[in-house]
Amino acid sequence: AQSVTQLGSHVSVSEGALVLLRCNYSSSVPPYLFWYVQYPNQGLQLLLKYTSAATLVKGINDFEAEFKKSETSFHLTKPSAHMSDAAEYFCAVSVAGGTSYGKLTFGQGTILTVHP
Amino acid sequence: ETGVTQTPRHLVMGMTNKKSLKCEQHLGHNAMYWYKQSAKKPLELMFVYNFKEQTENNSVPSRFSPECPNSSHLFLHLHTLQPEDSALYLCASSQNGAGYYTDTQYFGPGTRLTVL
């Protein structure tokens, strides 16, 4: 079965600083990886996804993530944080085989705080 | 209405009550999902419906009973719940049917359930 680990349940950055949210996955078959964001009192919204094309994936709001198979990682970055980026971020994995075929498995989430 | 809507947004119920959560997707999708989001736990997949047929029950207690009358509507019927069932219940949909491992899932805003 696949799993996702998000390192750091809380990350705090200054406005304008680099955002780095870490995600490592475990899977015995090739993974497909997603980052979702959840703003307060809202559902989850897709930021970006990796589906085995380019390893560097660009998403909405200047977020991007790089799939690194050797490191089993899919870290999310943004060059310059904005106050509106404050939210909870979830990394998720889906696989094309095994008993978990097509199911999304989520990490525990990382709450991003942006201070002025 | 656009996207995925859920009603009610908040629900307080006693352990002996019976209530229902409603989800509607306006995206023409073929798969619908119920998730449970508890504090400090990853999102838990509860049920999956694929073209109106239930294809996944993730060992959910029978006090939760899903219903999918058509591809656009999904209900979660609740009875004799426990306080530990208090959580945010999220509905999601995806386009091509469950099992398309690269499909984006679109989430509703959730129903915040409190069981007294």
Side-chain angles (χ1 to χ4, degrees):
Chain A
Q2 68 272 23
S3 65
V4 173
T5 301
Q6 291 182 237
L7 301 174
S9 57
H10 290 80
V11 170
S12 181
V13 300
S14 299
E15 191 173 20
L18 172 71
V19 175
L20 171 59
L21 304 182
R22 299 177 187 274
C23 172
N24 287 88
Y25 68 90
S26 172
S27 175
S28 58
V29 296
Y32 301 89
L33 295 155
F34 303 75
W35 275 101
Y36 283 85
V37 60
Q38 185 177 30
Y39 297 103
N41 300 314
Q42 294 187 29
L44 279 70
Q45 176 186 357
L46 181 74
L47 276 177
L48 49 81
K49 62 181 178 182
Y50 165 75
T51 58
S52 77
T55 56
L56 181 63
V57 182
K58 295 188 182 299
I60 62 173
N61 300 335
D62 295 327
F63 282 96
E64 65 180 36
E66 186 172 8
F67 173 69
K68 293 186 176 181
K69 183 178 178 181
S70 61
E71 299 177 9
T72 62
S73 69
F74 190 58
H75 301 332
L76 181 71
T77 59
K78 179 173 179 175
S80 177
H82 192 273
M83 298 295 289
S84 60
D85 295 326
E88 189 163 15
Y89 292 79
F90 294 91
C91 182
V93 62
S94 174
V95 297
T99 57
S100 300
Y101 185 94
K103 298 179 197 176
L104 273 181
T105 300
F106 286 87
Q108 290 194 302
T110 298
I111 296 173
L112 175 67
T113 302
V114 182
H115 48 88
Chain B
E1 295 280 12
T2 59
V4 181
T5 58
Q6 290 187 243
T7 54
R9 293 293 308 275
H10 300 271
L11 178 62
V12 179
M13 59 187 290
M15 290 192 286
T16 58
N17 292 158
K18 289 185 179 182
K19 297 286 185 183
S20 295
L21 310 185
K22 179 183 175 182
C23 174
E24 183 173 2
Q25 57 97 358
H26 308 267
L27 301 168
H29 289 173
N30 293 310
M32 297 188 77
Y33 311 77
W34 279 117
Y35 287 87
K36 178 182 180 182
Q37 187 177 26
S38 305
K40 302 183 180 180
K41 292 178 69 175
L43 268 76
E44 300 172 63
L45 178 65
M46 300 174 70
F47 302 103
V48 180
Y49 277 81
N50 201 21
F51 295 92
K52 302 186 298 178
E53 299 297 321
Q54 186 181 131
T55 56
E56 182 81 20
N57 176 339
N58 198 20
S59 302
V60 180
S62 59
R63 57 187 183 268
F64 295 91
S65 174
E67 178 189 3
C68 188
N70 54 60
S71 293
S72 298
H73 293 86
L74 185 64
F75 295 88
L76 188 62
H77 304 300
L78 316 171
H79 64 98
T80 58
L81 294 190
Q82 305 298 310
E84 59 265 27
D85 297 322
S86 298
L88 182 68
Y89 289 85
L90 292 165
C91 173
S93 68
S94 62
Q95 182 171 13
N96 291 307
Y100 277 78
Y101 40 86
T102 60
D103 263 8
T104 298
Q105 290 188 20
Y106 292 80
F107 286 79
T111 295
R112 175 71 62 188
L113 174 66
T114 303
V115 182
L116 301 176

